[in-house]
Every structure is written in C-alpha cells, then in structure tokens.
Amino acid sequence: MPVIVDQHMRERITHEAALFPISYFENELSELPNWEGPLHWHPDFEIARAEIAALDYQVGQKHILLQPGDSLLVNGNLLHGVRQIAGDMPDPLPAIVFSGTLIAPETSTIYQKYIAPIGDCGSLPFIVFRRQDDWCGEIHCLLDEIFTCLKQRTGCYEMVVQRGLNRLLECLFRRFDALPKSQATRIQLRTQVRVQKMLSYIYTHYAEPITFTDIAEAASISRSEAARCFHEYMDCSPVNALIRYRLQTAHRLLHDASLTVQEISAACGFRSANYFGRQFRQIYGYTPGHVRSLER
C-alpha cells in the first residue's frame, strides 16, 4: 500500500487494534512513482529493511545508504522518506511502525526505564543495522522472525512479535552508550519545524491555486528563508515541492479508471491539462496516458 499522509504530514498509520499498536508494510515502493516515498513523520518507531536493492533513506537532513540486508530504525516525530537508487525491480522494503506501548504502558517502570530513553533521545534520530556488523546479528534474526510473523499471522503471532521487539529494544538499551549519536543544532530543529509547517500547508491546499508566498507564510517566514529550508531538506524550491506532490497525487489517481485525465489534472491543482501532461512527462519520463494504459 502507498504511503498516505494527513494534512499534518503525519503518515496515516491504521493499527488494527489499539491494544496491539503495530502495523506491517511491504511492497510500498512498487506503488510509488519512481519508487520514491514522500517525506512524512509519525510519533511511532519505524524499522525498515532493504532486501534486494540499494535505498536512500532520508532522516531529517541526513541521507543513509542501505544496501541489501541492512535495516534502519527511525525514531518518532522525525521527517523521513525513502528512495530506491539502484536495482531493476522495486525493493519489497518490509517495514514495521510501532508504539513503545506495545511493550509496556507509558506509565510503567519498563517504559520509563528502558523505552523512553531511546524514544526521547534527541541525539538518536536513527540507528543503522548493517548486515556485516557482528553486533547486529541478533537484531537481524529478531527482525526476520518479526516480519515473518506479521506477514503470515500464524498462531500466537502477537506474542512472538511482542517478545521479539522486547528483546530488540533490550539489545539497544544495553548498547545505548555505544550507539552513534548526532545532536541536531537549534537551527536544524527550527528548520525542520518550518519545513513541517510548509509541507502541511502544501498537503492541505495542493488542489487550490497557491503561491510561493502562501507556502512561506504558512511558517511565518520570508520567501528567501522558505527557499533555504526546502533546499536543505528536499533540494528543490517550495514551488517544485508543490508540483512534485501534485504529480504524486495525480499518479495515484490515474489508477482510478472512473476519472478522466482532465478531471485528475484539475483535482490536483493544475489549471491546464497540457501543462499537467508536460510536467508529468518531465518528472516520470512517460505520459499520464501510459499509466492509464497499464490499467487496461
């Protein structure tokens, strides 16, 4: 299933039950144009693994290269996204998004003593588990079991998953002092908040005729500062980010045969279907009609 975010740029995570707060995702990249997901965030931990291809995982302003077999834990409330940069097929990218309350209630000693120090650590935005690193061996075995259980859902899988995550977080806590830390500066934190506000505005108003000035005003900053923020996080201008999101949305809607290309163009904020077609081809290398033909 594709990454879907709400108007606050938080990924829409639908846990099957509040009492078992974990979601499993697989094959998301295959449904995303250019095998690239949008920047988003959520309050939960996320763990993803590269299976067959090289992936560029962006967390904040940092880019982490994942080779096949590598995994990554992303801490909560951080802007992140993934892009496949090598391989002829989309990577399956198995991933879990889960709350620490799956292990223990927030008010419990277990949560406060062992989980909160990891989740609340501002200098620990992510942890990389390299396949070749000896200390990660147990982590990889635990993830193998967790992913398999969530995919197959055999008997007592919830208990197996909880036990595996419990052991995984225990491993991280025991190694906490040795984990690489990177403390964000005040400027970096301020920039992330500004990008979040502007992206939230884009996601809410993309179908409307909005301007560069509108986007900058969403974060109460100047146009030049808005341009700086987007360049640092997305290597593009705010207007290009808006166009990119409009095209991503249109790409998804093109799979709905009940809508015409002209209707999709208008629904995504493009005043001209011809302009929409040119922008679409420039970004993806093929026309909207090509996507529509694949559905037949």
Side-chain angles (χ1 to χ4, degrees), residues 93-115:
L93 188 64
I96 52 174
V97 178
F98 65 97
S99 169
T101 59
L102 177 64
I103 309 303
E106 288 187 38
T107 55
S108 69
T109 298
I110 290 176
Y111 189 99
Q112 294 299 322
K113 188 174 181 179
Y114 302 108
I115 300 174

Side-chain angles (χ1 to χ4, degrees), residues 234-246:
M234 304 180 69
D235 196 26
C236 70
S237 71
V239 172
N240 285 338
L242 168 63
I243 294 173
R244 184 185 302 177
Y245 179 68
R246 283 172 168 170

Side-chain angles (χ1 to χ4, degrees), residues 117-139:
I118 298 173
D120 296 341
C121 183
S123 60
L124 194 63
F126 60 86
I127 306 171
V128 182
F129 310 117
R130 300 293 182 191
R131 178 61 70 177
Q132 70 272 17
D133 290 349
D134 292 338
W135 79 270
C136 298
E138 184 176 3
I139 300 290

Side-chain angles (χ1 to χ4, degrees), residues 62-79:
K62 295 183 179 295
H63 289 262
I64 304 99
L65 176 64
L66 296 185
Q67 297 289 359
D70 294 341
S71 300
L72 175 76
L73 180 146
V74 181
N75 224 324
N77 294 313
L78 288 166
L79 274 171

Side-chain angles (χ1 to χ4, degrees), residues 51-253:
E51 294 277 21
I52 62 173
L55 305 177
D56 173 20
Y57 228 104
Q58 180 178 350
V59 182
Q61 292 173 281
K62 295 183 179 295
H63 289 262
I64 304 99
L65 176 64
L66 296 185
Q67 297 289 359
D70 294 341
S71 300
L72 175 76
L73 180 146
V74 181
N75 224 324
N77 294 313
L78 288 166
L79 274 171
H80 61 281
V82 62
R83 176 174 63 94
Q84 184 167 327
I85 57 176
D88 298 326
M89 298 289 292
D91 195 284
L93 188 64
I96 52 174
V97 178
F98 65 97
S99 169
T101 59
L102 177 64
I103 309 303
E106 288 187 38
T107 55
S108 69
T109 298
I110 290 176
Y111 189 99
Q112 294 299 322
K113 188 174 181 179
Y114 302 108
I115 300 174
I118 298 173
D120 296 341
C121 183
S123 60
L124 194 63
F126 60 86
I127 306 171
V128 182
F129 310 117
R130 300 293 182 191
R131 178 61 70 177
Q132 70 272 17
D133 290 349
D134 292 338
W135 79 270
C136 298
E138 184 176 3
I139 300 290
H140 292 304
C141 289
L142 290 169
L143 289 176
D144 287 342
E145 184 178 45
I146 290 168
F147 290 153
T148 298
C149 285
L150 288 170
K151 186 174 182 178
Q152 298 180 353
R153 301 195 178 196
T154 53
C156 301
Y157 79 92
E158 298 96 337
M159 297 183 70
V160 177
V161 169
Q162 184 191 48
R163 183 172 66 243
L165 287 175
N166 195 326
R167 179 58 183 156
L168 189 152
L169 290 172
E170 179 189 346
C171 290
L172 296 182
F173 182 82
R174 290 183 181 278
R175 194 178 175 80
F176 186 78
D177 291 338
L179 294 173
K181 309 294 195 304
S182 58
Q183 184 67 52
T185 66
R186 289 186 178 181
I187 293 176
Q188 289 173 328
L189 293 173
R190 184 177 61 190
T191 298
Q192 173 165 299
V193 170
R194 288 173 170 175
V195 172
Q196 288 173 332
K197 288 180 178 179
M198 290 185 286
L199 286 177
S200 295
Y201 183 84
I202 287 173
Y203 270 62
T204 303
H205 301 281
Y206 72 92
E208 305 168 15
I210 61 178
T211 66
F212 189 165
T213 300
D214 294 330
I215 297 171
E217 288 180 349
S220 301
I221 57 179
S222 67
R223 287 162 52 103
S224 60
E225 178 62 13
R228 184 194 69 81
C229 292
F230 270 85
H231 178 73
E232 289 190 11
Y233 268 86
M234 304 180 69
D235 196 26
C236 70
S237 71
V239 172
N240 285 338
L242 168 63
I243 294 173
R244 184 185 302 177
Y245 179 68
R246 283 172 168 170
L247 291 173
Q248 288 174 337
T249 304
H251 199 289
R252 185 173 69 249
L253 291 177

